[in-house]
Amino acid sequence: MKLSAAQAVDVLRAAGEPTRLRILALLAREELAVLELCRVLDQSQPRVSRHLKLLAEAGLVERFPDGAWVFYRLVQEGYAGELAAEILRRVDLADAALMRDAERLIAVQAERAADAGEYFARNAARWDEIRSLYVAEADVESAILKAAGQGPFRRLVDLGTGAGRMLTLLGPRADQALGLDLSQQMLNIARAQVAQAGLERCELRHGDIFGTRLPDESADLVVVHQVLHYLGDPAAAVKEAARITAPGGRLLIVDFAPHNLEFLREQHQHRRLGFSDAEIKRWLADGGLNRMAAETLPPARTQGLTVKIWTAERARQPQRTAA
């Protein structure tokens, strides 16, 4: 359904204000919390919130609460989203105000990354202990093995490998395995764990989940285990994981269902407090994957975390018959 003339005017009016255009340009980079937008724009929360309200009413941005925080992201679908994308394509990114915003956003991202890096370095030696505080790890790992399938896998890639537990768990089913992580402390622990497990065809590499530099469709099992809730742009990470998933291959995501344990954000650098099935399904579909399945593992304690295991596959290419 196309926009009516009145709706088109509303969209253009919403986008056609300097601060709101700056907000759209920022959200084109990644989803952001209200307070982060306030810092970048150097404006008060009431003022920024009003701009966001107008953009949301015009269908240009999507608002979603996450615990005590509220995040916003660009609407990707529909004619309003297409119109916003076209406006941003025609805006000169060398504009002084937009460049200043981009620099401030980089500073916010760098601060966020530094905080996370310090946290991982401080807790690397007892990472598995922290991760198992709320969930029965044995039950989760049993479900992961079932969701992954028997294999054998030609190539396993574990994105954000951490202490390497997914490599030692699934590596015996793979001809080759690769673990990527940005934390050298985590990689050192993973190397020790992999060596102790006797996995000879397993490589640990310093790498970015947003830009793995791996070939398209090169792994028949890709794992993203307890990583997305730390990221500023989880949708982009899922898209990259889907990109390297081979035809007939499987992407397996393990994370938390939505929750309200705000202290995990404050004490353990969780940026997002869980994900919904609909959100993950949309990201997987955007990455060209289908046949999504989800398994729910409820917590052992009342105030615990519910673990979700999402799997999706890339369809095999139809075989061409000889002429």
Side-chain angles (χ1 to χ4, degrees), residues 180-296:
L180 297 182
D181 206 288
L182 280 175
S183 169
Q184 292 291 359
Q185 290 89 347
M186 287 296 190
L187 288 172
N188 291 336
I189 294 173
R191 288 189 181 94
Q193 296 293 328
V194 165
Q196 186 176 354
L199 297 176
E200 297 179 356
R201 290 169 296 186
C202 184
E203 179 185 357
L204 277 303
R205 188 186 301 175
H206 186 263
D208 188 349
I209 193 172
F210 296 112
T212 63
R213 294 185 292 181
L214 297 174
D216 292 350
E217 302 180 357
S218 57
D220 49 2
L221 179 61
V222 181
V223 179
V224 183
H225 178 260
Q226 300 292 16
V227 175
L228 293 185
H229 56 253
Y230 292 109
L231 304 180
D233 193 354
V238 173
K239 183 177 181 180
E240 176 67 1
R243 181 188 67 79
I244 65 174
T245 302
R250 183 172 298 181
L251 170 58
L252 191 152
I253 299 172
V254 185
D255 220 290
F256 300 123
H259 61 87
N260 293 308
L261 299 184
E262 198 69 36
F263 77 94
L264 290 177
R265 180 176 279 145
E266 298 165 358
Q267 299 178 21
H268 294 289
Q269 297 300 312
H270 289 207
R271 177 171 171 80
R272 290 286 306 275
L273 300 185
F275 302 92
S276 68
D277 287 350
E279 193 170 32
I280 296 293
K281 183 177 182 180
R282 182 170 68 250
W283 295 342
L284 291 169
D286 289 344
L289 304 187
N290 54 24
R291 294 180 60 185
M292 191 196 89
E295 182 171 357
T296 302

Side-chain angles (χ1 to χ4, degrees), residues 83-96:
L83 187 53
E86 181 62 27
I87 291 170
L88 291 174
R89 275 194 294 269
R90 294 178 178 275
V91 170
D92 183 5
L93 297 181
D95 176 85

